[in-house]
Amino acid sequence: MSFSDIDLQWFAAEDEGRTEEPSEYKLKKARDEGRVAKSPELSGALVMFVTVLVLVICARFFFRNCAEILVYFFTRCAEPTPFQRQYFMVFLVYLAKMVLPLVVSGAVAGVLANIVQNKGFIFSTKPIEFQFSKITPKVGQYLKKTMFSFEGGFNILKSFLKVVVIAIVAYLIIRSDMKVFLEFLNASDISAAVGRVASSAAKILVICALIFLLIAVPDYFVQKKQFLESMKMTKQEVKQEYKEMEGDPEVKAKLDQAQRELLQKNMPQMVAKSDVVIANPTHFAVALLYDRNVADAPQVMAKGADQVAFRIREIARENDVPIVENRPLARALYAETDVGDIIPIEYINAIVTIYTQIDYLNKRKI
């Protein structure tokens, strides 16, 4: 069974009727607010893995600094002089030398893990804005989410699996090294014993970190499916969003541009179903279609100059679309309209006259 086969009913939104896939607009809005599909498990596992690697690689450095600071303070602990500020500063220097590599590596790993999951850097203050509802106790909702839902069951399973993994890995490694540990009971070389114990601990940490990474990868896909399911919309939300987007001039301009590009790309089909082609005999051609269900006036289906105009006229002849030669009108429509536009109001009378002539000729043919 693959994670792509998981029944999405496990992630079903609480509100009924949310059956529509989330729109790009809604996903973008959620992203701007800092809400994206991501797995805390993956970030935590990567931070742990990188930190453990740094700890193992720099183990000798850390051990040496620990020994130095112990020697420094033990050699001075019996001195009669009172506590001096320099002792505190020495402690801070040694602490920084041992802690900073781990802190920096962990922070870098955490940032990179989020950038990879978010597919880029996201900066938003929305998640940290104060909301009274966030601090209001919701015990019932919390219990339902954490214990009586797929999310809660899945998190419990992950936690249990981690505990089992740590126990098994620790048991196997310690059992394999037990003979060596027993030999150190009567040994006088403390440094060798400490080194052997540290080596076993490092093995446990590295193996557990790798296994946690393996657990976190499928968790990311589960979280992604859960996020997309939670972002689903009702039919009413889709309609409302469309109305809002239509009112946005920038969004409307983009939609109009996409429509023009689509119409221009499908020029042969658009010309073939047009009512009329208005042409300047050699330079311009504009194809029009009047569909009462779309608009209250004819719409520009295709337009072109020179070779494109010639091609439009050629397609029109092949499909018995009337071609009307009107140089001023063809030139004006070509200059002042784009594909997908409704013809300007000032040319309505001229267009109505042309449509009347076409209708009269069609009736005579009948």
Side-chain angles (χ1 to χ4, degrees), residues 3 149-159 218-219 222-223:
F3 279 89
S149 66
F150 172 79
E151 182 181 359
F154 190 67
N155 289 333
I156 292 173
L157 178 62
K158 286 186 296 184
S159 301
D219 177 68
V222 171
Q223 296 295 337

Side-chain angles (χ1 to χ4, degrees), residues 29-65:
K29 186 177 179 181
R31 181 181 177 85
D32 293 340
E33 294 175 355
R35 294 186 292 129
V36 292
K38 61 181 179 180
S39 168
E41 293 290 334
L42 186 57
S43 301
L46 188 59
V47 169
M48 177 183 176
F49 180 72
V50 172
T51 306
V52 166
L53 279 184
V54 172
L55 182 62
V56 171
I57 293 171
C58 302
R60 292 182 180 275
F61 170 79
F62 293 141
F63 181 77
R64 187 170 61 251
N65 277 273

Side-chain angles (χ1 to χ4, degrees), residues 157-208:
L157 178 62
K158 286 186 296 184
S159 301
F160 179 74
L161 187 58
K162 288 181 179 180
V163 173
V164 171
V165 165
I166 294 174
I168 293 175
V169 171
Y171 172 75
L172 292 176
I173 291 177
I174 292 173
R175 188 182 69 172
S176 65
D177 294 341
M178 183 59 70
K179 185 177 179 181
V180 179
F181 292 157
L182 293 175
E183 291 176 357
F184 282 127
L185 291 176
N186 299 320
S188 58
D189 191 352
I190 297 178
S191 61
V194 171
R196 186 61 187 180
V197 172
S199 176
S200 298
K203 286 182 189 177
I204 295 172
L205 288 173
V206 170
I207 294 173
C208 287

Side-chain angles (χ1 to χ4, degrees), residues 63-340:
F63 181 77
R64 187 170 61 251
N65 277 273
C66 285
E68 288 178 3
I69 195 171
L70 288 173
V71 170
Y72 180 85
F73 282 105
F74 274 120
T75 55
R76 290 165 175 77
C77 64
E79 292 180 1
T81 57
F83 177 81
Q84 296 180 6
R85 184 180 177 184
Q86 70 179 42
Y87 293 161
F88 181 66
M89 296 304 298
V90 169
F91 169 75
L92 289 182
V93 169
Y94 275 102
L95 181 65
K97 286 167 67 176
M98 290 186 289
V99 171
L100 279 179
L102 299 176
V103 172
V104 172
S105 60
V108 171
V111 171
L112 288 177
N114 280 281
I115 289 176
V116 170
Q117 291 187 82
N118 299 339
K119 298 179 181 177
F121 184 78
I122 299 176
F123 178 78
S124 175
T125 59
K126 189 76 174 178
I128 60 174
E129 288 180 0
F130 175 78
Q131 292 183 14
F132 186 76
S133 59
K134 291 182 177 180
I135 60 175
T136 305
K138 296 180 181 179
V139 179
Q141 186 177 347
Y142 174 78
L143 291 176
K144 180 180 178 182
K145 183 177 180 180
T146 56
M147 300 187 66
F148 304 106
S149 66
F150 172 79
E151 182 181 359
F154 190 67
N155 289 333
I156 292 173
L157 178 62
K158 286 186 296 184
S159 301
F160 179 74
L161 187 58
K162 288 181 179 180
V163 173
V164 171
V165 165
I166 294 174
I168 293 175
V169 171
Y171 172 75
L172 292 176
I173 291 177
I174 292 173
R175 188 182 69 172
S176 65
D177 294 341
M178 183 59 70
K179 185 177 179 181
V180 179
F181 292 157
L182 293 175
E183 291 176 357
F184 282 127
L185 291 176
N186 299 320
S188 58
D189 191 352
I190 297 178
S191 61
V194 171
R196 186 61 187 180
V197 172
S199 176
S200 298
K203 286 182 189 177
I204 295 172
L205 288 173
V206 170
I207 294 173
C208 287
L210 282 171
I211 295 176
F212 288 175
L213 267 179
L214 293 177
I215 295 173
V217 171
D219 177 68
Y220 169 74
F221 292 104
V222 171
Q223 296 295 337
K224 185 175 181 180
K225 280 200 171 186
Q226 187 175 20
F227 173 76
L228 292 176
E229 183 68 16
S230 69
M231 294 296 292
K232 279 191 172 181
M233 309 165 68
T234 63
K235 287 181 168 48
Q236 183 60 36
E237 286 175 335
V238 173
K239 292 178 182 178
Q240 185 63 33
E241 183 183 281
Y242 181 76
K243 289 180 181 178
E244 292 176 2
M245 290 176 65
E246 277 219 314
D248 188 333
E250 184 178 348
V251 174
K252 190 174 181 180
K254 289 181 179 179
L255 290 174
D256 291 343
Q257 180 64 25
Q259 183 184 27
R260 293 188 192 103
E261 291 175 358
L262 180 62
L263 292 174
Q264 194 67 23
K265 187 181 297 183
N266 298 326
M267 186 184 71
Q269 294 90 338
M270 296 299 102
V271 175
K273 74 176 191 177
S274 297
D275 298 324
V276 62
V277 171
I278 300 174
N280 175 326
T282 55
H283 295 295
F284 305 109
V286 180
L288 302 178
L289 173 66
Y290 179 34
D291 186 348
R292 292 176 177 81
N293 297 322
V294 175
D296 296 330
Q299 184 180 16
V300 178
M301 305 303 290
K303 73 171 192 173
D306 300 326
Q307 293 297 323
V308 178
F310 177 79
R311 177 59 180 154
I312 289 174
R313 293 194 299 272
E314 190 177 55
I315 295 170
R317 292 189 191 97
E318 292 172 356
N319 292 275
D320 296 324
V321 176
I323 300 174
V324 176
E325 293 187 5
N326 188 321
R327 296 185 181 186
L329 184 58
R331 187 182 297 110
L333 291 176
Y334 179 84
E336 298 179 25
T337 62
D338 287 316
V339 175

